[in-house]
Amino acid sequence: MTTAPGAAEATAEQAERWEPVIGLEVHVELSTRTKMFCGCATDFGGAPNTRTCPVCLGQPGSLPVANAGAVEYGIRLGLALGCRIAPDSRFHRKNYFYPDMPKNYQISQYDVPLCVGGGLEVVTGAGRRHVGITRVHMEEDTGKSSHVGSGGRIHGADHSLVDYNRAGIPLLEVVSEPDLRSAEEARAYLTELRAIVRTLGISDAKLEEGSMRCDANVSLRPVGHTVFGTRVEIKNMNSLRSLGRAILYEVVRQRGLLDAGEPVVQETRHWDEDAGRTSPLRRKEEITDYRYFPDPDLVPVMPAPEWVERLRADLPEMPGVTRSRLTEGLGLPAEQAHTLVHAGLAGLLQDAAAAGSGPAEAANWLTNEVLTWCAEHGVDPADAPLTGAALAELVGLVADGTLSARLGRSVLVDALDGRGTPGRIVAARGLRQISDSDRLAAAVDEAIAANPEAAARVREGNPKAVGPLVGAVMRATGGQANPRVVNELLRSRLAAPG
Ligand code: ADP
Ligand code: MG
Ligand code: ZN
C-alpha cells in the first residue's frame, strides 16, 4: 500500500477506532575523546581501520577497561531524565555474528542497566504528555560496512568493506515506555531528548550523521482499551521528518490490516525514505537469541554516591527551564522560545540580550533570517557562525536607523558568510541608511520626473500609487534610503494642491 504522506497524515490523525501506541529506542553516540573500552580515538573521518587496537578488534588476550568519561556521561543523562542511578550495574555480552562486529559479541548492558525510571515532558498541539523512560544503558558501537557495486546494498554486491574505526565508540541507549500516542508526539520526544543531550554536551546528537539514531516501536489498539496490540519495530529513520513519516505510514498500514480483520505480525521493518514505506526486515521467530551473559572481563560499575551527587549538582539548566526563562523572563512567545531552544539558539539569544539587544528583536532575527540561512547552507543552527555580540550590534544598527530592515538582512547574511562583524560590513560596504532629507531630495525629484503617471495618481489622491516612486528612490540609492523619510518627502512633494 502506498499512500502519499499528506493523505496518510490526514487519515492517521482522523482515525477514531484505533489508537497508536509508540515507544522509541534511541542510541546516542557519546563525544568522549576515546572509545568505550580502549584508548583509541573517536575522531570522525580517519583513514579506514586506523583508529583500532587489539581491544576494539577483539583479539585474543586483550582486556577491555570501561571508559570513566562515558560512564559519567551516562550518569549525567540519567540524572537529567530523572532516572535512578544503579549503585551496581553490569556489562553483558550480546552474542551475534556480523562482519561489522569484530568480537562476535557486543558489550552492552542487560538486566542491570546504568539508569532506570525517569521521564520527560513533551508538548504538542494535543497538549502536554509525560513520557516514561524505561532505562538508559551503555554499550559499544559496531564498525561500518560498505557494499561495493549494486548501489550500496549487500544483495548483489561485488564485495564488502569494513571499517572498524567506529567499533567500540561509546553509545547510550535510551528506551522509552510505550507512552507516545502520535507521530507528532514521537517527533517532539526525540526533539526534546536531543535538546537535553546537547545541553549536557555529551554528544552532538545529529540524526542525519548517525550520532543519534532512533528505532520506533508502533502498535495499534482499539480506542479505550488498555491492553497493547502487537508491535512492529521500524529502523532506518535518519531525520525527524523520516521518523514522523515512517510512523504515519506504519499506523495506516496496521490500521488497514486490523480493519480487514488480519493480524499484525510482530517483526522488524525497514523504512525506505525514497519509497516512503516500510518493508519487513526480520520476523520475531527469526530474531536472534543473543545468549546474553555477564562479561567476565569487566568489573561492575559502582559509581560512588558522592560522585553521583556532585554530577547532579553540576547539571546545566535543562531545556524546559531555559524555555520558561525565555518566555517568563524575556517575554518571548512560547512557540518562539520552543523553536529557539530546540534549534540550539537559546544561548545565542541570551548572549545577544546580555550584549544589550532587545530580546524580541534578537529572537526575530534568529527565528527568521538565521534559521533560513542555516537551512540553506546545511548548517546546524547550533553551529551558526554568529556571536551574541554581533547579533546585538546588528539589532542596534537597525534600531538607531543606520540600517533599514532590508539592509539589516543583507548585513546579517554577510556576517553569517564570514565577512566580519555587522559594524565592519556596514563600513566596508558604505551601507549607512540615508535618513537626511536634504541628501534624498534630488533622488525623490528624479523619481517623480521619471514616473509622471504614478506621480499624477498620487496627486489625485491615490496614496498607494506612491509604491513605484519609493522603489525608484530605493534603486537610485542602492537600497540605502530610509523608506520612511522617502515616503514623507514624496507625500509632501505630491500633496494635492489646495
Ligand atoms: P526489544 O529489545 O525487543 O526491542 P525493548 O524492551 O528494548 O525490547 O524495547 C521495547 C520498546 O518497544 C520500548 O521502547 C517500548 O516502549 C516499546 N513497546 C513495547 N511494547 C509496545 C507496544 N505494544 N507498542 C508499541 N511500543 C511498544
Ligand atoms: Mg528494540
Ligand atoms: Zn581500540
Side-chain angles (χ1 to χ4, degrees), residues 468-489:
L469 299 166
V470 176
V473 177
M474 296 309 290
R475 273 194 301 282
T477 57
Q480 280 171 261
N482 181 332
R484 186 181 48 77
V485 178
V486 173
N487 264 292
E488 280 165 12
L489 284 173

Side-chain angles (χ1 to χ4, degrees), residues 292-328:
Y292 277 100
F293 67 87
D295 192 311
D297 290 340
L298 283 158
V299 294
V301 180
M302 301 175 71
E306 312 82 67
W307 183 43
V308 174
E309 286 321 305
R310 200 149 22 89
L311 294 176
R312 190 195 304 277
D314 289 347
L315 283 181
E317 179 178 280
M318 286 299 116
V321 181
T322 313
R323 270 198 302 275
S324 33
R325 238 150 35 78
L326 297 191
T327 51
E328 285 147 36

Side-chain angles (χ1 to χ4, degrees), residues 118-459:
L120 57 79
E121 301 285 316
V122 299
V123 182
T124 65
R128 180 177 289 271
R129 190 182 299 283
H130 179 84
V131 183
I133 301 290
T134 315
R135 58 191 275 159
V136 179
H137 74 241
M138 291 180 285
E139 58 186 37
E140 55 177 343
D141 210 344
T142 59
K144 228 174 190 163
S145 349
S146 29
H147 307 295
V148 181
S150 80
R153 274 199 297 265
I154 191 165
H155 295 289
D158 292 336
H159 58 278
S160 297
L161 300 169
V162 191
D163 175 9
Y164 291 120
N165 283 355
R166 201 181 68 180
I169 289 188
L171 296 177
L172 291 177
E173 177 169 349
V174 183
V175 181
S176 87
E177 289 290 302
D179 287 344
L180 298 156
R181 294 291 173 267
S182 68
E184 193 196 355
E185 284 187 354
R187 288 178 53 142
Y189 167 86
L190 192 57
T191 307
E192 186 68 10
L193 183 59
R194 185 179 61 181
I196 292 171
V197 164
R198 288 185 177 172
T199 301
L200 292 168
I202 61 176
S203 168
D204 59 5
K206 294 185 176 164
L207 288 156
E208 287 76 6
E209 293 175 14
S211 51
M212 186 175 216
R213 291 166 239 158
C214 174
D215 302 336
N217 295 270
V218 179
S219 67
L220 297 186
R221 65 179 172 189
V223 168
H225 284 218
T226 51
V227 178
F228 292 143
T230 305
R231 77 176 148 120
V232 160
E233 179 170 343
I234 323 170
K235 292 187 175 290
N236 194 43
M237 289 82 70
N238 301 322
S239 66
L240 282 171
R241 185 167 174 270
S242 309
L243 174 68
R245 290 180 72 205
I247 292 173
L248 286 171
Y249 176 86
E250 193 52 31
V251 166
V252 173
R253 187 188 73 87
Q254 291 185 18
R255 205 175 61 217
L257 289 170
L258 295 169
D259 280 341
E262 288 169 37
V264 170
V265 177
Q266 180 165 352
E267 62 188 354
T268 303
R269 296 178 70 91
H270 178 90
W271 168 248
D272 183 334
E273 176 70 18
D274 295 330
R277 60 177 137 81
T278 63
S279 54
L281 208 59
R282 51 179 179 260
R283 294 217 159 175
K284 176 124 204 285
E285 54 268 32
E286 295 161 12
I287 290 173
T288 334
D289 171 6
Y290 292 121
R291 296 171 291 121
Y292 277 100
F293 67 87
D295 192 311
D297 290 340
L298 283 158
V299 294
V301 180
M302 301 175 71
E306 312 82 67
W307 183 43
V308 174
E309 286 321 305
R310 200 149 22 89
L311 294 176
R312 190 195 304 277
D314 289 347
L315 283 181
E317 179 178 280
M318 286 299 116
V321 181
T322 313
R323 270 198 302 275
S324 33
R325 238 150 35 78
L326 297 191
T327 51
E328 285 147 36
L330 297 178
L332 298 183
E335 186 107 353
Q336 196 173 34
H338 206 78
T339 305
L340 290 170
V341 169
H342 283 154
L345 289 172
L348 197 49
L349 176 84
Q350 284 165 324
D351 290 350
S357 164
E361 287 81 1
N364 288 339
W365 288 109
L366 288 172
T367 45
N368 297 315
E369 274 65 31
V370 174
L371 283 184
T372 305
W373 185 92
C374 288
E376 283 169 5
H377 291 73
V379 170
D380 189 312
D383 301 331
L386 188 71
T387 63
L391 180 57
E393 188 178 12
L394 178 84
V395 169
L397 288 165
V398 176
D400 71 12
T402 306
L403 294 177
S404 63
R406 215 189 71 173
L407 282 179
R409 272 196 289 282
S410 154
V411 168
L412 180 55
V413 167
D414 276 4
L416 288 164
D417 285 339
R419 304 224 167 82
T421 63
R424 287 211 185 145
I425 293 164
V426 168
R429 287 175 56 188
L431 274 187
R432 281 177 187 282
Q433 176 169 254
I434 308 169
S435 303
D436 178 350
S437 33
D438 290 344
R439 284 184 60 202
L440 292 173
V444 166
D445 290 339
E446 274 165 33
I448 293 171
N451 298 276
E453 285 159 33
R457 267 184 285 136
V458 180
R459 278 203 188 86

